[in-house]
Amino acid sequence: MNASEDVREPLKRRRNGAASRHVGFTGRMMLPGIVPLAALTVLPFLTIVVMSFSDVRLLGGMRLDFAGLKNWGRFFTDPDMGWFWLRTAGYFALTLGLEMVLGVVLALCVWRLVRGRNLVLSLLLLPMFVAPVIVGLLGRFLTDPTFGLYTWLLERIGYDGDLLGDTFTAFAAVVAMDVWEWTPLIALITLAGLSAVPPTLREAAALDGAGRWQTLRHIVLPSISNVLLVALLIRAMDAIRYFDIIWVTTNGGPANATKIVPVRLYETAFRFFDFGYAAVVGLAMLFASIVVARLFVRMLDRKGLAR
Amino acid sequence: MVDQEPSVISRRRTLGGALAGGAAFAAGGLLNGCATRSDVRRRDTADPWRQFAGCTLNFVSENTAPTSAIAADAERFTALTGIHVNIVTLELSALVQKVALDLASGQSQYQIIYADSYQVLAPYADGLVDLREPASDDSLPGDDSDLADFFPLQMDVSGRFGGGDRVLALPYDCATMIWQYRKDLFEAYHDRMANDLGFDPTPGPQRTWEEYYRIAEWFNDNVDEVSYGTGHQAKQHDSLMCDFSNVLFAHGGQYFENGEHIGRFGAVDPGPSALGSEEALAGAEFYSRLLSIADPASTTWDWTGLGAAFAAGRVAMCPNWHEFAADNERSLPGKVGYTTLPSGPAKSANMYGGAGIAINGNTAPNERAAAWLFLKWATSRKTQLRNLTGEVGGATPTRSSIYRTPEVRRAQRRPSGMPTMLTAPAVQQAWKPEYSGLRPKIPMWNECDTAIYTELSRMLAGDVAPRGAMRDARDHIDRIVSRGWVAAE
């Protein structure tokens, strides 16, 4: 053992000692949480990574055969994949945008209510409590060309097309169904934010002669911007994996008009049983989700709300 | 105060452990050997049907008419053999998932499988038992000569794959697309229609698809009892592909070169797609024209939606699965006629969509023999005949000898106690090779099917012309086929 080793050894021992003391205390406390968490997330994640470089064979027991970059190469050269992502981005922007605008407007309306607020709020929140699959089924029945109520109403005003049979209207219909279901959540979160706006601020604005629009723009909205950002983050994470309503109503059709990446992922894995390629699509979705989440978290961070 | 360094070491260790675990999982070793199943006990008895008394089998099936009938009758099988059968009925895509995952487990949670020809039999043929083995086993009742009683076309499509003599499933379900029409309206307007159109409009394979088009148009313009002349199951998904395929085959088009052989016997590598042919284009152009005068709701109907619309009196005629006869006879008693579909320049093609029942290849020897007893019983003459007349009947027999029995022959005319048998003359004709329409039996069919109905859907929505739709579908299919089938090699 030379001199430098003499110096390093106690350091190493001290560090290890500190580590074991640290792991000994926090590690033991966290172990019951970390182990199931690893089992539920890290192991499947690593398995999916390995699957993405494999051909997955099913007969007589699952087997993975190394396929190199084949699945990844296919992902980047798939002529349809770009359209699926583009459509996903369209859904994301439309559903999130409409839900935010409508949610804030509804919250402001309810906030202004003096009487019957609880009743209105309860009615407003009802769609949120319906399972997305049921929303899809309801939507399908309401737009059915033979007996659908909405079809009948639209016929009365001169529209004789088929809502879920046309590419544009099918896209609009499934967006509308998601907006109907989740706008109340935004309204609820916004309402909570509005309740926290200090009355003194509004009174001061009123004394300064600010009108309703000015108060809203310069006092209320800046006061609830943090809450709106949180609502945006919550819905964004959900909207990026939008699946149930589309699957129940249109199956991604007509002519792929409503086929977004999560639908494509499901189809690849559980209809075509191409698990290797599905793993690649799933990992790409995960990456996209992380990017979006990081974007919003950074925005929260700038406002000092991330910690 | 938290020291950052130890947590880094801890994270590394955790990740290292997880990676090792993940690699172990990924290697497949842990996935395969989680559990072992013991075989069922074989009893020493003189009655060959009761050798496996006391055991339990699981049967996973699509929610079709034959399975409803079998489920209602299962107590008889238990009384005969002492074997209890749990029957799980699912929608087809859920069934395919269960079967794929069961095969992937290396176990056999479901010993008996409803083997759809395109989604189970073709992709997982190597995971099913060759039934000639139990059929020729002297210790089990019956013999393999009994297999000759099934219709040859059904035996090949629903029971075999890839050529050769292997029998992987017994024909169990035999849904067939035929022409269903309002007999009362055709009779009432026959002379007027004949005068206006210049031909005898009586439905049958002697009619051409062009004539079908003109009849539909005539109903649109002249008859108030129905809203439209024809309705179609043109919602994207299997239904659109099936509806289109009748027209495609009638015009001489095929999905692949040698398509009739691939449809009947199946192939792993079917070669390049033939959808770019002039015949396929003619079929697509006609189909696009036909749908333009059909009930506009056709693009949102699958077979169930179309069946309901026809039974509700919305359309005068439609191509649909023969099994809807029972619903038709309930809603429009005596008013519906059934015949084979119109002819095109090539033939009258009637899509056959039957399926068989098979035994999971992962079963242990005795379990396999017990499962064979169930297959034998479920497709026996007696059981199929009883299913026809039972309270939840409606299942169509797959044994040719049943159609020769006096009671079944009588039931083919009204008044009939077996409404599905009113379609028997039409479907029996449709099961002859010259009238059959068979989609390709290839392992990657599901993905090809998706490409086909997506392009058809684009064509019907007006986004692409028929030539473009056929070209795009062909290119898509060629890409899928060139990748080959990896899931069950």
Side-chain angles (χ1 to χ4, degrees):
Chain A
M1 194 181 280
N2 58 34
S4 63
E5 278 176 336
D6 285 348
V7 176
R8 253 184 266 140
E9 192 52 30
L11 263 173
K12 203 171 163 187
R13 266 205 305 273
R14 205 161 53 234
R15 198 182 291 159
N16 284 347
S20 66
R21 271 200 308 279
H22 180 76
V23 171
F25 176 71
T26 54
R28 271 202 301 273
M29 297 299 285
M30 290 172 70
L31 210 60
I34 287 175
V35 170
L37 193 69
L40 290 171
T41 57
V42 181
L43 285 181
F45 170 72
L46 293 173
T47 307
I48 286 172
V49 172
V50 177
M51 274 171 77
S52 73
F53 293 100
S54 312
D55 282 332
V56 182
R57 307 190 193 278
L58 299 175
L59 274 194
M62 190 181 275
R63 202 176 77 239
L64 303 185
D65 290 347
F66 184 64
L69 292 170
K70 188 177 88 175
N71 293 321
W72 287 94
R74 186 180 152 197
F75 177 75
F76 289 109
T77 54
D78 189 336
D80 299 325
M81 196 46 81
W83 286 108
F84 297 139
W85 282 103
L86 204 64
R87 219 171 278 126
T88 308
Y91 267 107
F92 184 77
L94 264 177
T95 51
L96 219 59
L98 286 170
E99 283 164 21
M100 288 306 294
V101 171
L102 291 174
V104 172
V105 170
L106 281 174
L108 286 169
C109 293
V110 175
W111 187 45
R112 291 251 164 218
L113 274 180
V114 181
R115 281 193 297 184
R117 184 194 280 196
N118 287 343
L119 179 68
V120 172
L121 192 61
S122 305
L123 290 172
L124 188 72
L125 295 183
L126 277 180
M128 209 172 74
F129 301 121
V130 183
V133 172
I134 307 295
V135 174
L137 284 172
L138 278 173
R140 207 170 75 185
F141 289 130
L142 289 168
T143 56
D144 187 279
T146 313
F147 51 78
L149 176 67
Y150 288 171
T151 311
W152 181 80
L153 288 171
L154 288 169
E155 273 172 12
R156 301 280 82 79
I157 58 168
Y159 177 79
D160 61 353
D162 178 5
L163 277 175
L164 296 181
D166 177 80
T167 47
F168 176 76
T169 51
F171 187 92
V174 290
V175 166
M177 287 177 212
D178 191 69
V179 169
W180 177 78
E181 177 162 31
W182 293 114
T183 296
L185 177 70
I186 304 294
L188 186 68
I189 296 171
T190 310
L191 202 57
L194 287 171
S195 310
V197 176
T200 48
L201 264 182
R202 287 187 285 130
E203 283 163 13
L207 284 173
D208 287 345
R212 276 187 184 178
W213 171 244
Q214 283 172 314
T215 311
L216 178 69
R217 194 173 160 208
H218 299 292
I219 305 292
V220 177
L221 287 180
S223 303
I224 63 167
S225 63
N226 301 338
V227 178
L228 290 181
L229 210 51
V230 172
L232 197 65
L233 178 66
I234 292 171
R235 270 309 295 150
M237 290 301 94
D238 222 23
I240 211 162
R241 51 190 175 83
Y242 186 31
F243 172 78
D244 324 49
I245 291 176
I246 294 180
W247 193 250
V248 171
T249 50
T250 62
N251 275 153
N256 277 355
T258 57
K259 192 172 281 179
I260 57 173
V261 177
V263 176
R264 176 64 175 167
L265 170 60
Y266 176 83
E267 197 176 66
T268 308
F270 297 109
R271 284 195 63 234
F272 309 153
F273 296 99
D274 193 347
F275 287 112
Y277 188 53
V280 174
V281 179
L283 287 170
M285 263 188 70
L286 178 68
F287 178 73
S289 307
I290 290 170
V291 168
V292 172
R294 286 297 307 164
L295 200 75
F296 287 126
V297 168
R298 189 169 293 177
M299 285 162 79
L300 284 170
D301 208 14
R302 271 195 215 125
K303 289 177 171 288
L305 293 164
R307 291 171 202 285
Chain B
M1 190 76 180
V2 176
D3 181 3
Q4 292 297 316
E5 201 172 17
S7 80
V8 171
I9 294 166
S10 170
R11 195 179 302 142
R12 273 190 198 145
R13 280 180 185 163
T14 309
L15 276 172
L19 186 61
F25 265 105
L30 291 178
L31 288 176
N32 291 339
C34 291
T36 51
R37 284 169 62 94
S38 57
D39 200 359
V40 302
R41 198 161 66 88
R42 192 168 199 155
R43 290 167 189 269
D44 191 13
T45 166
D47 182 353
W49 283 99
R50 296 197 69 83
Q51 297 174 70
F52 307 102
C55 84
T56 299
L57 298 174
N58 297 319
F59 172 27
V60 63
S61 179
E62 190 187 354
N63 45 3
T64 55
T67 304
S68 305
I70 288 292
D73 212 20
E75 281 303 312
R76 280 179 196 269
F77 177 71
T78 306
L80 174 71
T81 61
I83 299 169
H84 180 71
V85 181
N86 294 319
I87 300 177
V88 179
T89 55
L90 300 163
E91 180 267 323
L92 183 61
S93 59
L95 164 110
V96 175
Q97 284 169 23
K98 287 259 184 204
V99 171
L101 295 176
D102 194 30
L103 291 170
S105 75
Q107 309 292 311
S108 59
Q109 188 189 344
Y110 301 105
Q111 295 91 352
I112 305 162
I113 294 168
Y114 176 92
D116 176 85
S117 307
Y118 310 94
Q119 302 197 42
V120 174
L121 182 68
Y124 306 115
D126 290 338
L128 305 175
V129 170
D130 182 353
L131 299 177
R132 290 175 305 168
E133 173 202 319
S136 57
D137 185 339
D138 294 338
S139 65
L140 298 171
D143 61 68
D144 57 4
S145 65
D146 192 38
L147 301 179
D149 192 23
F150 293 106
F151 286 94
L153 180 98
Q154 294 188 24
M155 194 68 208
D156 291 338
V157 177
S158 306
R160 295 194 166 95
F161 181 73
D165 295 330
R166 280 192 311 165
V167 177
L168 302 169
L170 297 184
Y172 172 74
D173 196 351
C174 54
T176 307
M177 287 188 87
I178 53 169
W179 185 351
Q180 306 186 14
Y181 61 95
R182 287 289 297 275
K183 195 161 151 278
D184 56 333
L185 299 182
F186 270 83
E187 282 169 1
Y189 293 103
H190 178 272
D191 295 345
R192 237 182 92 189
M193 220 189 309
N195 272 340
D196 291 352
L197 297 172
F199 60 85
D200 177 2
T202 307
Q206 73 281 8
R207 295 276 72 77
T208 65
W209 274 108
E210 278 297 339
E211 288 170 347
Y212 181 96
Y213 174 90
R214 292 183 60 199
I215 293 169
E217 208 173 26
W218 191 89
F219 269 104
N220 285 353
D221 298 338
N222 297 285
V223 178
D224 293 332
E225 286 98 319
V226 288
S227 304
Y228 292 93
T230 183
H232 291 264
Q233 43 187 281
K235 179 180 177 174
Q236 81 158 8
H237 218 274
D238 245 16
S239 56
L240 173 55
M241 179 276 301
C242 289
D243 197 54
F244 167 69
S245 297
N246 294 320
V247 174
L248 174 78
F249 299 148
H251 282 77
Q254 285 290 345
Y255 291 107
F256 295 99
E257 298 295 342
N258 203 14
E260 293 200 355
H261 185 270
I262 293 170
R264 183 159 181 164
F265 299 103
V268 175
D269 181 9
S273 169
L275 277 183
S277 71
E278 284 306 310
E279 289 84 359
L281 176 63
E285 278 171 346
F286 175 79
Y287 189 71
S288 179
R289 201 152 52 85
L290 179 62
L291 265 287
S292 70
I293 60 150
D295 190 321
S298 295
T299 50
T300 48
W301 285 335
D302 56 9
W303 42 77
T304 313
L306 176 61
F310 181 72
R314 184 164 162 148
V315 294
M317 56 185 183
C318 63
N320 204 356
W321 300 104
H322 82 281
E323 289 161 332
F324 282 91
D327 288 341
N328 294 342
E329 295 306 311
R330 262 193 299 274
S331 309
L332 300 163
K335 292 181 177 175
V336 181
Y338 308 95
T339 184
T340 39
L341 287 168
S343 300
K347 65 188 286 195
S348 157
N350 300 262
M351 175 63 83
Y352 172 71
I357 36 174
I359 301 175
N360 189 328
N362 294 324
T363 46
N366 289 347
E367 209 172 33
R368 188 172 294 195
W372 168 250
L373 294 185
F374 180 77
L375 259 63
K376 185 121 186 87
W377 173 83
T379 58
S380 69
R381 242 174 128 245
K382 264 188 181 174
T383 306
Q384 290 201 338
L385 200 54
R386 205 168 42 242
N387 289 347
L388 255 181
T389 52
E391 275 186 23
V392 290
T396 313
T398 53
R399 286 183 175 274
S400 57
S401 60
I402 294 179
Y403 292 85
R404 294 193 290 270
T405 59
E407 54 191 306
V408 172
R409 290 172 80 93
R410 270 197 306 276
Q412 293 175 21
R413 286 191 202 88
R414 292 190 175 91
S416 174
M418 308 173 192
T420 317
M421 281 302 96
L422 292 170
T423 67
V427 294
Q428 277 180 283
Q429 191 168 27
W431 295 336
K432 291 175 183 163
E434 61 270 31
Y435 284 94
S436 65
L438 304 170
R439 73 198 95 161
K441 200 163 67 170
I442 56 173
M444 61 293 272
W445 173 245
N446 234 349
E447 198 170 354
C448 294
D449 184 16
T450 305
I452 291 161
Y453 66 63
T454 300
E455 293 307 328
L456 288 172
S457 195
R458 286 178 63 210
M459 178 180 86
L460 297 181
D463 292 350
V464 64
R467 186 177 290 276
M470 290 299 100
R471 185 197 56 223
D472 292 348
R474 179 200 62 197
D475 293 348
H476 215 126
I477 288 173
D478 284 345
R479 274 203 302 276
I480 295 163
V481 169
S482 68
R483 282 200 299 271
W485 177 243
V486 297
E489 274 178 348

